mmCIF file of all heavy atoms in Angstrom:
data_model
loop_
_atom_site.group_PDB
_atom_site.id
_atom_site.type_symbol
_atom_site.label_atom_id
_atom_site.label_comp_id
_atom_site.label_asym_id
_atom_site.label_seq_id
_atom_site.Cartn_x
_atom_site.Cartn_y
_atom_site.Cartn_z
ATOM 1 N N ILE A 1 -3.649 -11.683 19.596
ATOM 2 C CA ILE A 1 -3.768 -11.321 21.004
ATOM 3 C C ILE A 1 -2.379 -11.370 21.632
ATOM 4 O O ILE A 1 -1.619 -12.311 21.407
ATOM 5 C CB ILE A 1 -4.714 -12.309 21.727
ATOM 6 C CG1 ILE A 1 -6.116 -12.217 21.111
ATOM 7 C CG2 ILE A 1 -4.774 -12.032 23.218
ATOM 8 C CD1 ILE A 1 -7.040 -13.320 21.544
ATOM 9 N N THR A 2 -2.059 -10.345 22.418
ATOM 10 C CA THR A 2 -0.699 -10.238 22.938
ATOM 11 C C THR A 2 -0.511 -10.910 24.290
ATOM 12 O O THR A 2 0.614 -11.149 24.715
ATOM 13 C CB THR A 2 -0.310 -8.753 23.085
ATOM 14 O OG1 THR A 2 -1.275 -8.097 23.933
ATOM 15 C CG2 THR A 2 -0.287 -8.068 21.735
ATOM 16 N N GLU A 3 -1.615 -11.223 24.993
ATOM 17 C CA GLU A 3 -1.472 -11.821 26.317
ATOM 18 C C GLU A 3 -0.883 -13.233 26.213
ATOM 19 O O GLU A 3 -0.878 -13.850 25.150
ATOM 20 C CB GLU A 3 -2.816 -11.864 27.037
ATOM 21 C CG GLU A 3 -3.808 -12.823 26.428
ATOM 22 C CD GLU A 3 -5.053 -12.958 27.302
ATOM 23 O OE1 GLU A 3 -5.559 -11.937 27.775
ATOM 24 O OE2 GLU A 3 -5.500 -14.101 27.473
ATOM 25 N N SER A 4 -0.377 -13.722 27.326
ATOM 26 C CA SER A 4 0.226 -15.054 27.330
ATOM 27 C C SER A 4 -0.796 -16.111 26.926
ATOM 28 O O SER A 4 -1.982 -15.983 27.206
ATOM 29 C CB SER A 4 0.765 -15.378 28.729
ATOM 30 O OG SER A 4 -0.286 -15.348 29.677
ATOM 31 N N ARG A 5 -0.310 -17.130 26.270
ATOM 32 C CA ARG A 5 -1.185 -18.172 25.749
ATOM 33 C C ARG A 5 -1.715 -19.059 26.872
ATOM 34 O O ARG A 5 -0.927 -19.604 27.644
ATOM 35 C CB ARG A 5 -0.442 -19.024 24.724
ATOM 36 C CG ARG A 5 0.123 -18.245 23.546
ATOM 37 C CD ARG A 5 -0.960 -17.488 22.814
ATOM 38 N NE ARG A 5 -0.438 -16.838 21.621
ATOM 39 C CZ ARG A 5 -1.110 -15.950 20.906
ATOM 40 N NH1 ARG A 5 -2.321 -15.595 21.279
ATOM 41 N NH2 ARG A 5 -0.592 -15.407 19.831
ATOM 42 N N LYS A 6 -3.005 -19.201 26.941
ATOM 43 C CA LYS A 6 -3.602 -20.044 27.975
ATOM 44 C C LYS A 6 -3.310 -21.516 27.695
ATOM 45 O O LYS A 6 -3.284 -21.953 26.554
ATOM 46 C CB LYS A 6 -5.112 -19.818 28.028
ATOM 47 C CG LYS A 6 -5.507 -18.573 28.788
ATOM 48 C CD LYS A 6 -6.994 -18.584 29.063
ATOM 49 C CE LYS A 6 -7.373 -17.421 29.969
ATOM 50 N NZ LYS A 6 -7.073 -16.139 29.354
ATOM 51 N N ARG A 7 -3.133 -22.269 28.761
ATOM 52 C CA ARG A 7 -2.884 -23.694 28.604
ATOM 53 C C ARG A 7 -4.191 -24.432 28.366
ATOM 54 O O ARG A 7 -5.276 -23.963 28.733
ATOM 55 C CB ARG A 7 -2.177 -24.253 29.834
ATOM 56 C CG ARG A 7 -3.027 -24.273 31.092
ATOM 57 C CD ARG A 7 -2.190 -24.675 32.297
ATOM 58 N NE ARG A 7 -2.993 -24.721 33.519
ATOM 59 C CZ ARG A 7 -3.539 -25.817 34.020
ATOM 60 N NH1 ARG A 7 -3.364 -26.986 33.392
ATOM 61 N NH2 ARG A 7 -4.243 -25.785 35.121
ATOM 62 N N LEU A 8 -4.078 -25.585 27.754
ATOM 63 C CA LEU A 8 -5.230 -26.444 27.524
ATOM 64 C C LEU A 8 -5.315 -27.473 28.642
ATOM 65 O O LEU A 8 -4.281 -27.940 29.148
ATOM 66 C CB LEU A 8 -5.102 -27.153 26.177
ATOM 67 C CG LEU A 8 -5.585 -26.409 24.928
ATOM 68 C CD1 LEU A 8 -4.849 -25.088 24.725
ATOM 69 C CD2 LEU A 8 -5.425 -27.285 23.696
ATOM 70 N N LEU A 9 -6.536 -27.833 29.016
ATOM 71 C CA LEU A 9 -6.714 -28.804 30.088
ATOM 72 C C LEU A 9 -7.729 -29.861 29.670
ATOM 73 O O LEU A 9 -8.885 -29.550 29.405
ATOM 74 C CB LEU A 9 -7.211 -28.108 31.357
ATOM 75 C CG LEU A 9 -7.365 -29.017 32.589
ATOM 76 C CD1 LEU A 9 -5.992 -29.490 33.058
ATOM 77 C CD2 LEU A 9 -8.083 -28.273 33.715
ATOM 78 N N PRO A 10 -7.298 -31.134 29.598
ATOM 79 C CA PRO A 10 -8.241 -32.203 29.250
ATOM 80 C C PRO A 10 -9.142 -32.557 30.430
ATOM 81 O O PRO A 10 -8.692 -32.607 31.579
ATOM 82 C CB PRO A 10 -7.321 -33.373 28.886
ATOM 83 C CG PRO A 10 -6.076 -33.123 29.678
ATOM 84 C CD PRO A 10 -5.924 -31.630 29.772
ATOM 85 N N ILE A 11 -10.420 -32.802 30.139
ATOM 86 C CA ILE A 11 -11.399 -33.176 31.156
ATOM 87 C C ILE A 11 -12.067 -34.470 30.701
ATOM 88 O O ILE A 11 -12.557 -34.540 29.562
ATOM 89 C CB ILE A 11 -12.459 -32.072 31.334
ATOM 90 C CG1 ILE A 11 -11.799 -30.773 31.789
ATOM 91 C CG2 ILE A 11 -13.536 -32.510 32.321
ATOM 92 C CD1 ILE A 11 -12.748 -29.593 31.824
ATOM 93 N N PRO A 12 -12.093 -35.494 31.527
ATOM 94 C CA PRO A 12 -12.787 -36.730 31.122
ATOM 95 C C PRO A 12 -14.239 -36.440 30.751
ATOM 96 O O PRO A 12 -14.973 -35.811 31.523
ATOM 97 C CB PRO A 12 -12.683 -37.609 32.372
ATOM 98 C CG PRO A 12 -11.454 -37.128 33.069
ATOM 99 C CD PRO A 12 -11.419 -35.641 32.837
ATOM 100 N N GLY A 13 -14.648 -36.885 29.579
ATOM 101 C CA GLY A 13 -15.986 -36.577 29.089
ATOM 102 C C GLY A 13 -17.090 -37.101 29.987
ATOM 103 O O GLY A 13 -18.120 -36.453 30.170
ATOM 104 N N ARG A 14 -16.886 -38.277 30.571
ATOM 105 C CA ARG A 14 -17.906 -38.840 31.459
ATOM 106 C C ARG A 14 -18.082 -37.986 32.703
ATOM 107 O O ARG A 14 -19.190 -37.878 33.238
ATOM 108 C CB ARG A 14 -17.527 -40.271 31.845
ATOM 109 C CG ARG A 14 -17.729 -41.282 30.747
ATOM 110 C CD ARG A 14 -19.213 -41.519 30.492
ATOM 111 N NE ARG A 14 -19.454 -42.369 29.332
ATOM 112 C CZ ARG A 14 -20.654 -42.697 28.891
ATOM 113 N NH1 ARG A 14 -21.724 -42.235 29.526
ATOM 114 N NH2 ARG A 14 -20.796 -43.461 27.830
ATOM 115 N N LEU A 15 -17.003 -37.363 33.167
ATOM 116 C CA LEU A 15 -17.096 -36.460 34.308
ATOM 117 C C LEU A 15 -17.909 -35.226 33.926
ATOM 118 O O LEU A 15 -18.767 -34.771 34.690
ATOM 119 C CB LEU A 15 -15.696 -36.059 34.769
ATOM 120 C CG LEU A 15 -15.621 -35.065 35.938
ATOM 121 C CD1 LEU A 15 -16.258 -35.654 37.191
ATOM 122 C CD2 LEU A 15 -14.160 -34.676 36.204
ATOM 123 N N GLY A 16 -17.644 -34.680 32.740
ATOM 124 C CA GLY A 16 -18.412 -33.524 32.268
ATOM 125 C C GLY A 16 -19.878 -33.856 32.096
ATOM 126 O O GLY A 16 -20.756 -33.054 32.442
ATOM 127 N N TRP A 17 -20.147 -35.046 31.564
ATOM 128 C CA TRP A 17 -21.529 -35.495 31.380
ATOM 129 C C TRP A 17 -22.250 -35.590 32.712
ATOM 130 O O TRP A 17 -23.383 -35.110 32.867
ATOM 131 C CB TRP A 17 -21.506 -36.850 30.672
ATOM 132 C CG TRP A 17 -22.814 -37.584 30.660
ATOM 133 C CD1 TRP A 17 -23.892 -37.323 29.874
ATOM 134 C CD2 TRP A 17 -23.164 -38.710 31.470
ATOM 135 N NE1 TRP A 17 -24.909 -38.223 30.130
ATOM 136 C CE2 TRP A 17 -24.477 -39.080 31.112
ATOM 137 C CE3 TRP A 17 -22.495 -39.441 32.449
ATOM 138 C CZ2 TRP A 17 -25.138 -40.147 31.721
ATOM 139 C CZ3 TRP A 17 -23.138 -40.507 33.047
ATOM 140 C CH2 TRP A 17 -24.448 -40.851 32.680
ATOM 141 N N ALA A 18 -21.607 -36.201 33.713
ATOM 142 C CA ALA A 18 -22.230 -36.347 35.033
ATOM 143 C C ALA A 18 -22.457 -34.994 35.688
ATOM 144 O O ALA A 18 -23.500 -34.761 36.320
ATOM 145 C CB ALA A 18 -21.342 -37.228 35.924
ATOM 146 N N LYS A 19 -21.503 -34.099 35.532
ATOM 147 C CA LYS A 19 -21.638 -32.760 36.114
ATOM 148 C C LYS A 19 -22.802 -32.008 35.478
ATOM 149 O O LYS A 19 -23.593 -31.360 36.172
ATOM 150 C CB LYS A 19 -20.338 -31.985 35.918
ATOM 151 C CG LYS A 19 -20.298 -30.650 36.636
ATOM 152 C CD LYS A 19 -18.923 -30.020 36.536
ATOM 153 C CE LYS A 19 -18.863 -28.709 37.301
ATOM 154 N NZ LYS A 19 -17.503 -28.089 37.233
ATOM 155 N N ALA A 20 -22.939 -32.119 34.160
ATOM 156 C CA ALA A 20 -24.038 -31.442 33.464
ATOM 157 C C ALA A 20 -25.381 -32.030 33.857
ATOM 158 O O ALA A 20 -26.368 -31.295 34.036
ATOM 159 C CB ALA A 20 -23.836 -31.541 31.955
ATOM 160 N N LEU A 21 -25.443 -33.360 33.990
ATOM 161 C CA LEU A 21 -26.689 -34.000 34.416
ATOM 162 C C LEU A 21 -27.086 -33.546 35.818
ATOM 163 O O LEU A 21 -28.256 -33.253 36.095
ATOM 164 C CB LEU A 21 -26.535 -35.515 34.402
ATOM 165 C CG LEU A 21 -26.813 -36.253 33.093
ATOM 166 C CD1 LEU A 21 -26.701 -37.758 33.346
ATOM 167 C CD2 LEU A 21 -28.188 -35.922 32.541
ATOM 168 N N GLY A 22 -26.105 -33.498 36.715
ATOM 169 C CA GLY A 22 -26.379 -33.068 38.078
ATOM 170 C C GLY A 22 -26.855 -31.634 38.148
ATOM 171 O O GLY A 22 -27.819 -31.325 38.862
ATOM 172 N N ALA A 23 -26.201 -30.771 37.395
ATOM 173 C CA ALA A 23 -26.608 -29.361 37.378
ATOM 174 C C ALA A 23 -28.012 -29.211 36.810
ATOM 175 O O ALA A 23 -28.826 -28.414 37.307
ATOM 176 C CB ALA A 23 -25.605 -28.548 36.562
ATOM 177 N N GLN A 24 -28.307 -29.986 35.772
ATOM 178 C CA GLN A 24 -29.631 -29.944 35.159
ATOM 179 C C GLN A 24 -30.708 -30.415 36.136
ATOM 180 O O GLN A 24 -31.804 -29.851 36.201
ATOM 181 C CB GLN A 24 -29.625 -30.807 33.903
ATOM 182 C CG GLN A 24 -30.814 -30.639 32.983
ATOM 183 C CD GLN A 24 -30.653 -31.482 31.723
ATOM 184 O OE1 GLN A 24 -30.797 -32.697 31.730
ATOM 185 N NE2 GLN A 24 -30.316 -30.840 30.622
ATOM 186 N N ALA A 25 -30.386 -31.433 36.929
ATOM 187 C CA ALA A 25 -31.360 -32.014 37.856
ATOM 188 C C ALA A 25 -31.782 -31.038 38.938
ATOM 189 O O ALA A 25 -32.915 -31.089 39.433
ATOM 190 C CB ALA A 25 -30.781 -33.274 38.497
ATOM 191 N N VAL A 26 -30.880 -30.118 39.319
ATOM 192 C CA VAL A 26 -31.213 -29.151 40.371
ATOM 193 C C VAL A 26 -31.531 -27.771 39.801
ATOM 194 O O VAL A 26 -31.579 -26.787 40.530
ATOM 195 C CB VAL A 26 -30.067 -29.050 41.402
ATOM 196 C CG1 VAL A 26 -29.884 -30.377 42.112
ATOM 197 C CG2 VAL A 26 -28.761 -28.596 40.755
ATOM 198 N N GLY A 27 -31.754 -27.716 38.474
ATOM 199 C CA GLY A 27 -32.164 -26.454 37.857
ATOM 200 C C GLY A 27 -31.048 -25.465 37.626
ATOM 201 O O GLY A 27 -31.310 -24.271 37.423
ATOM 202 N N LEU A 28 -29.786 -25.928 37.634
ATOM 203 C CA LEU A 28 -28.648 -25.025 37.445
ATOM 204 C C LEU A 28 -27.881 -25.319 36.153
ATOM 205 O O LEU A 28 -26.748 -24.874 35.988
ATOM 206 C CB LEU A 28 -27.694 -25.139 38.639
ATOM 207 C CG LEU A 28 -28.289 -24.763 40.011
ATOM 208 C CD1 LEU A 28 -27.267 -25.010 41.107
ATOM 209 C CD2 LEU A 28 -28.751 -23.311 40.019
ATOM 210 N N GLY A 29 -28.507 -26.048 35.238
ATOM 211 C CA GLY A 29 -27.824 -26.438 34.008
ATOM 212 C C GLY A 29 -27.349 -25.264 33.175
ATOM 213 O O GLY A 29 -26.311 -25.333 32.511
ATOM 214 N N ASN A 30 -28.079 -24.147 33.220
ATOM 215 C CA ASN A 30 -27.707 -22.994 32.407
ATOM 216 C C ASN A 30 -26.430 -22.311 32.887
ATOM 217 O O ASN A 30 -25.872 -21.466 32.175
ATOM 218 C CB ASN A 30 -28.846 -21.975 32.394
ATOM 219 C CG ASN A 30 -30.056 -22.473 31.636
ATOM 220 O OD1 ASN A 30 -30.015 -23.544 31.027
ATOM 221 N ND2 ASN A 30 -31.141 -21.721 31.666
ATOM 222 N N LEU A 31 -25.968 -22.659 34.086
ATOM 223 C CA LEU A 31 -24.742 -22.051 34.603
ATOM 224 C C LEU A 31 -23.492 -22.665 33.984
ATOM 225 O O LEU A 31 -22.414 -22.071 34.044
ATOM 226 C CB LEU A 31 -24.683 -22.197 36.125
ATOM 227 C CG LEU A 31 -25.800 -21.491 36.916
ATOM 228 C CD1 LEU A 31 -25.598 -21.699 38.405
ATOM 229 C CD2 LEU A 31 -25.838 -19.995 36.577
ATOM 230 N N LEU A 32 -23.625 -23.840 33.405
ATOM 231 C CA LEU A 32 -22.487 -24.486 32.751
ATOM 232 C C LEU A 32 -22.432 -24.090 31.275
ATOM 233 O O LEU A 32 -23.472 -23.853 30.656
ATOM 234 C CB LEU A 32 -22.602 -26.008 32.857
ATOM 235 C CG LEU A 32 -22.454 -26.631 34.247
ATOM 236 C CD1 LEU A 32 -22.683 -28.139 34.156
ATOM 237 C CD2 LEU A 32 -21.081 -26.339 34.832
ATOM 238 N N PRO A 33 -21.232 -24.058 30.683
ATOM 239 C CA PRO A 33 -21.123 -23.719 29.253
ATOM 240 C C PRO A 33 -21.414 -24.906 28.334
ATOM 241 O O PRO A 33 -21.199 -24.827 27.139
ATOM 242 C CB PRO A 33 -19.666 -23.270 29.116
ATOM 243 C CG PRO A 33 -18.944 -24.013 30.174
ATOM 244 C CD PRO A 33 -19.910 -24.142 31.328
ATOM 245 N N PHE A 34 -21.888 -26.021 28.882
ATOM 246 C CA PHE A 34 -22.190 -27.205 28.078
ATOM 247 C C PHE A 34 -23.324 -27.978 28.730
ATOM 248 O O PHE A 34 -23.595 -27.850 29.930
ATOM 249 C CB PHE A 34 -20.963 -28.101 27.923
ATOM 250 C CG PHE A 34 -20.367 -28.551 29.231
ATOM 251 C CD1 PHE A 34 -20.824 -29.705 29.874
ATOM 252 C CD2 PHE A 34 -19.350 -27.830 29.839
ATOM 253 C CE1 PHE A 34 -20.285 -30.127 31.081
ATOM 254 C CE2 PHE A 34 -18.799 -28.236 31.058
ATOM 255 C CZ PHE A 34 -19.274 -29.387 31.674
ATOM 256 N N GLY A 35 -24.016 -28.783 27.923
ATOM 257 C CA GLY A 35 -25.060 -29.662 28.420
ATOM 258 C C GLY A 35 -24.574 -31.093 28.461
ATOM 259 O O GLY A 35 -23.419 -31.385 28.114
ATOM 260 N N PRO A 36 -25.429 -32.045 28.841
ATOM 261 C CA PRO A 36 -25.002 -33.445 28.945
ATOM 262 C C PRO A 36 -24.555 -34.062 27.626
ATOM 263 O O PRO A 36 -23.698 -34.953 27.618
ATOM 264 C CB PRO A 36 -26.257 -34.150 29.481
ATOM 265 C CG PRO A 36 -27.041 -33.090 30.170
ATOM 266 C CD PRO A 36 -26.797 -31.846 29.377
ATOM 267 N N SER A 37 -25.120 -33.630 26.504
ATOM 268 C CA SER A 37 -24.774 -34.251 25.221
ATOM 269 C C SER A 37 -23.389 -33.861 24.728
ATOM 270 O O SER A 37 -22.700 -34.649 24.067
ATOM 271 C CB SER A 37 -25.813 -33.876 24.149
ATOM 272 O OG SER A 37 -26.950 -34.704 24.233
ATOM 273 N N GLU A 38 -22.951 -32.642 25.022
ATOM 274 C CA GLU A 38 -21.707 -32.154 24.432
ATOM 275 C C GLU A 38 -20.459 -32.923 24.864
ATOM 276 O O GLU A 38 -19.605 -33.247 24.018
ATOM 277 C CB GLU A 38 -21.572 -30.651 24.705
ATOM 278 C CG GLU A 38 -22.542 -29.851 23.861
ATOM 279 C CD GLU A 38 -22.834 -28.469 24.414
ATOM 280 O OE1 GLU A 38 -23.434 -28.379 25.511
ATOM 281 O OE2 GLU A 38 -22.473 -27.491 23.745
ATOM 282 N N PRO A 39 -20.299 -33.275 26.147
ATOM 283 C CA PRO A 39 -19.137 -34.101 26.490
ATOM 284 C C PRO A 39 -19.145 -35.458 25.801
ATOM 285 O O PRO A 39 -18.095 -35.966 25.386
ATOM 286 C CB PRO A 39 -19.258 -34.258 28.013
ATOM 287 C CG PRO A 39 -20.072 -33.092 28.458
ATOM 288 C CD PRO A 39 -21.041 -32.845 27.343
ATOM 289 N N LEU A 40 -20.332 -36.055 25.655
ATOM 290 C CA LEU A 40 -20.432 -37.361 25.001
ATOM 291 C C LEU A 40 -20.045 -37.249 23.530
ATOM 292 O O LEU A 40 -19.332 -38.114 22.992
ATOM 293 C CB LEU A 40 -21.850 -37.909 25.134
ATOM 294 C CG LEU A 40 -22.356 -38.148 26.561
ATOM 295 C CD1 LEU A 40 -23.807 -38.629 26.536
ATOM 296 C CD2 LEU A 40 -21.472 -39.152 27.296
ATOM 297 N N MET A 41 -20.498 -36.190 22.864
ATOM 298 C CA MET A 41 -20.149 -36.011 21.449
ATOM 299 C C MET A 41 -18.672 -35.719 21.274
ATOM 300 O O MET A 41 -18.042 -36.195 20.320
ATOM 301 C CB MET A 41 -20.988 -34.877 20.857
ATOM 302 C CG MET A 41 -22.455 -35.202 20.737
ATOM 303 S SD MET A 41 -23.375 -33.954 19.790
ATOM 304 C CE MET A 41 -23.355 -32.582 20.937
ATOM 305 N N ALA A 42 -18.108 -34.938 22.199
ATOM 306 C CA ALA A 42 -16.708 -34.553 22.079
ATOM 307 C C ALA A 42 -15.762 -35.725 22.262
ATOM 308 O O ALA A 42 -14.608 -35.680 21.825
ATOM 309 C CB ALA A 42 -16.384 -33.459 23.094
ATOM 310 N N MET A 43 -16.230 -36.807 22.898
ATOM 311 C CA MET A 43 -15.384 -37.994 23.069
ATOM 312 C C MET A 43 -15.326 -38.844 21.805
ATOM 313 O O MET A 43 -14.443 -39.695 21.673
ATOM 314 C CB MET A 43 -15.910 -38.848 24.227
ATOM 315 C CG MET A 43 -15.709 -38.243 25.591
ATOM 316 S SD MET A 43 -16.026 -39.455 26.918
ATOM 317 C CE MET A 43 -17.777 -39.730 26.742
ATOM 318 N N GLU A 44 -16.263 -38.635 20.884
ATOM 319 C CA GLU A 44 -16.339 -39.450 19.670
ATOM 320 C C GLU A 44 -15.529 -38.849 18.532
ATOM 321 O O GLU A 44 -15.510 -37.626 18.351
ATOM 322 C CB GLU A 44 -17.792 -39.564 19.192
ATOM 323 C CG GLU A 44 -18.703 -40.343 20.091
ATOM 324 C CD GLU A 44 -20.086 -40.497 19.473
ATOM 325 O OE1 GLU A 44 -20.306 -39.985 18.359
ATOM 326 O OE2 GLU A 44 -20.935 -41.150 20.106
#
């Protein structure tokens, strides 16, 4: 790919977990690219 290389950004896994749980609770979980389990697994 010739476009400029995108930077990487670390996100605290617990923050991602809480965000996914909140989205799931209000029926918007499918709008995120991850569920509550994935941030927890990615920290291990």
